[in-house]
Amino acid sequence: MNLDNITIYLSTNCVDITPLNDLTDFNKNFVRDLYRDEPFPIFEHSIYHLLSYLIFDYKLFTASSVSWRGVVALKEDAVVFFTPLVLEEDSFLKFINKLSDFATNYKIKIQNVSAYWVHKHEKIIKSWKIENRSREEAVYDVKLLHDLPGKDFSKLRNTKNRLLRSNVLTFKTISENNKNHLKIILQKWQKTQGYKYSKDKTDKEIFMCTKFVKFLEGEPDSVIANIGYIKDAPVSYCLMHKALSDDNWWTIYSIKGLNQHKDGGTRGVSDATYINCIERANKKGALFLNDGELGIENGSREHKLRFRKKRIQRGFFASFYQLDNRCFDK
């Protein structure tokens, strides 16, 4: 059995499927509508994530039926329902059980769901193992970090003055002319930082960054893509996008910085690149900035936690975010 058999099976079981390859109005609206009822934007519930990071490994389709709608991701050994919008639980369960019986050589998975989804579909999670997005996601208060008030943020203010206000570190928009600098940054970062992580994702991240250059061309009001330079040396980059379901939210989708002199960088480059993201989000009118999961790597966790007065919540399935006494749990 190959992937064509899976798509044929879907089509013959009252599912309308369409390849999801491009940033079209139809695809943006389809994905936006899937997550319209979510209480806040989860990091990966994004058309930009689907068409960059996820499409590197999977063939993607929009799928619609009477009982459910969603993004279906296919590869040689897996059929993934990417946070489906379930309209009728019994019919959906019947469908995926039949698919499991049909596609015996494939893992059938429901993944990247939020706590809101889990609480809403208890019947499904009793029958199927659900793969959650993350247990903790870092969400920043844009105004707070734009102002950097008080002694808690004194080190970040010093970094901002030393690198940004002095123009030691400057930023340029990523384009076809300088996108090759992304590879330089990623390869140096992998040698100095990437060894801490379980997988070398350099090729995947280069592919993802190249996709964001294309997104920026078509969506200049919804995407930010910058490279940071010290003199002429590329030392950091950041990719950001607006949450299509809520204009008050933006996402830091990917960010890397070289903090060592031997790589052409300097101390504080990563912090300064984060501050650059905050400044740009503030100019866009964002109130909140999602930086994704805290993860298990200590350096990454502690770096993200530096941008908060209080520790991130520990909500099951990222069940809520608490931003300086503001709670977004439903």
Side-chain angles (χ1 to χ4, degrees), residues 219-270:
E219 302 277 338
D221 294 330
S222 300
V223 176
I224 294 171
N226 294 150
I227 293 178
Y229 293 87
I230 294 179
K231 296 182 179 179
D232 294 325
V235 296
S236 69
Y237 78 84
C238 58
L239 307 177
M240 301 170 59
H241 66 78
K242 182 166 67 174
L244 296 183
S245 60
D246 190 330
D247 289 345
N248 291 323
W249 288 68
W250 276 67
T251 294
I252 300 177
Y253 187 70
S254 183
I255 186 168
K256 296 273 192 301
L258 305 176
N259 297 301
Q260 299 184 28
H261 287 282
K262 67 182 180 65
D263 298 318
T266 192
R267 177 176 55 85
V269 163
S270 293

Side-chain angles (χ1 to χ4, degrees), residues 191-321:
K191 289 180 180 179
T192 59
Q193 297 292 319
Y195 68 89
K196 300 175 184 177
Y197 300 86
S198 58
K199 295 180 180 179
D200 181 347
K201 299 180 179 179
T202 302
D203 290 341
K204 191 173 185 178
E205 290 183 321
I206 290 171
F207 174 84
M208 175 192 72
C209 290
T210 302
K211 284 284 189 177
F212 262 76
V213 174
K214 295 296 183 183
F215 297 156
L216 181 61
E217 292 174 359
E219 302 277 338
D221 294 330
S222 300
V223 176
I224 294 171
N226 294 150
I227 293 178
Y229 293 87
I230 294 179
K231 296 182 179 179
D232 294 325
V235 296
S236 69
Y237 78 84
C238 58
L239 307 177
M240 301 170 59
H241 66 78
K242 182 166 67 174
L244 296 183
S245 60
D246 190 330
D247 289 345
N248 291 323
W249 288 68
W250 276 67
T251 294
I252 300 177
Y253 187 70
S254 183
I255 186 168
K256 296 273 192 301
L258 305 176
N259 297 301
Q260 299 184 28
H261 287 282
K262 67 182 180 65
D263 298 318
T266 192
R267 177 176 55 85
V269 163
S270 293
D271 281 347
T273 303
Y274 266 94
I275 294 170
N276 172 68
C277 291
I278 294 293
E279 296 291 314
R280 292 176 185 273
N282 184 65
K283 287 180 180 179
K284 293 288 189 179
L287 300 180
F288 308 111
L289 192 55
N290 190 333
D291 192 21
E293 63 184 330
L294 286 173
I296 59 174
E297 197 279 311
N298 287 334
S300 177
R301 286 180 64 90
E302 293 307 314
H303 187 270
K304 291 181 178 183
L305 289 170
R306 288 184 64 191
F307 288 84
R308 296 184 50 81
K309 283 186 176 180
K310 300 180 181 180
R311 291 187 63 83
I312 303 295
Q313 79 299 328
R314 298 182 177 275
F316 183 62
F317 285 178
S319 62
F320 63 88
Y321 304 95

Side-chain angles (χ1 to χ4, degrees), residues 147-211:
D147 296 341
L148 293 176
K151 63 180 182 180
D152 291 326
F153 294 120
S154 60
K155 290 184 179 179
L156 291 176
R157 284 198 305 274
N158 291 337
T159 297
K160 182 177 182 178
N161 292 333
R162 179 170 58 87
L163 294 181
L164 297 178
R165 288 186 173 172
S166 64
N167 290 320
V168 171
L169 176 64
T170 59
F171 289 87
K172 296 180 181 179
T173 299
I174 302 174
S175 67
E176 291 293 329
N177 295 327
N178 66 356
K179 70 178 185 180
N180 59 306
H181 292 167
L182 293 165
K183 186 174 183 179
I184 295 172
I185 296 166
L186 283 164
Q187 288 177 336
K188 287 183 177 180
W189 184 89
Q190 181 61 36
K191 289 180 180 179
T192 59
Q193 297 292 319
Y195 68 89
K196 300 175 184 177
Y197 300 86
S198 58
K199 295 180 180 179
D200 181 347
K201 299 180 179 179
T202 302
D203 290 341
K204 191 173 185 178
E205 290 183 321
I206 290 171
F207 174 84
M208 175 192 72
C209 290
T210 302
K211 284 284 189 177

Side-chain angles (χ1 to χ4, degrees), residues 8-70:
I8 291 170
Y9 180 87
L10 293 173
S11 297
T12 55
N13 281 268
C14 301
V15 179
D16 294 327
I17 62 170
T18 304
L20 177 58
N21 298 320
D22 301 307
L23 194 63
T24 64
D25 287 341
F26 172 83
N27 288 338
K28 286 192 297 181
N29 290 333
F30 184 91
V31 174
R32 179 193 290 116
D33 288 344
L34 292 179
Y35 311 128
R36 188 179 296 278
D37 292 337
E38 294 277 343
F40 43 78
I42 301 300
F43 181 81
E44 291 183 351
H45 287 181
S46 157
I47 186 71
Y48 305 107
H49 170 70
L50 294 170
L51 292 177
S52 61
Y53 197 79
L54 201 65
I55 206 171
F56 183 82
D57 293 316
Y58 292 91
K59 290 185 177 181
L60 303 181
F61 298 86
T62 63
S64 299
S65 75
V66 174
S67 61
W68 66 276
R69 296 196 302 271

Side-chain angles (χ1 to χ4, degrees), residues 30-148:
F30 184 91
V31 174
R32 179 193 290 116
D33 288 344
L34 292 179
Y35 311 128
R36 188 179 296 278
D37 292 337
E38 294 277 343
F40 43 78
I42 301 300
F43 181 81
E44 291 183 351
H45 287 181
S46 157
I47 186 71
Y48 305 107
H49 170 70
L50 294 170
L51 292 177
S52 61
Y53 197 79
L54 201 65
I55 206 171
F56 183 82
D57 293 316
Y58 292 91
K59 290 185 177 181
L60 303 181
F61 298 86
T62 63
S64 299
S65 75
V66 174
S67 61
W68 66 276
R69 296 196 302 271
V71 172
V72 178
L74 305 179
K75 64 179 181 179
E76 287 77 7
D77 63 346
V79 179
V80 177
F81 294 87
F82 192 86
T83 310
L85 175 62
V86 179
L87 306 173
E88 210 293 308
E89 286 187 323
D90 290 334
S91 296
F92 177 70
L93 277 171
K94 182 178 180 180
F95 169 78
I96 58 174
N97 286 331
K98 285 177 61 179
L99 176 62
S100 181
D101 291 338
F102 172 77
T104 55
N105 294 328
Y106 290 80
K107 296 177 182 177
I108 312 298
K109 299 192 288 185
I110 303 170
Q111 69 180 42
N112 292 77
V113 301
S114 67
Y116 172 79
W117 194 97
V118 170
H119 296 324
K120 190 176 180 180
H121 298 298
E122 294 182 359
K123 183 182 293 186
I124 295 174
I125 65 172
K126 289 179 180 178
S127 302
W128 281 83
K129 181 180 178 181
I130 308 298
E131 297 187 18
N132 57 293
R133 152 63 196 155
S134 64
R135 294 177 183 269
E136 298 173 296
E137 292 192 353
V139 177
Y140 308 137
D141 182 322
V142 171
K143 185 180 186 306
L144 177 71
L145 293 180
H146 174 263
D147 296 341
L148 293 176

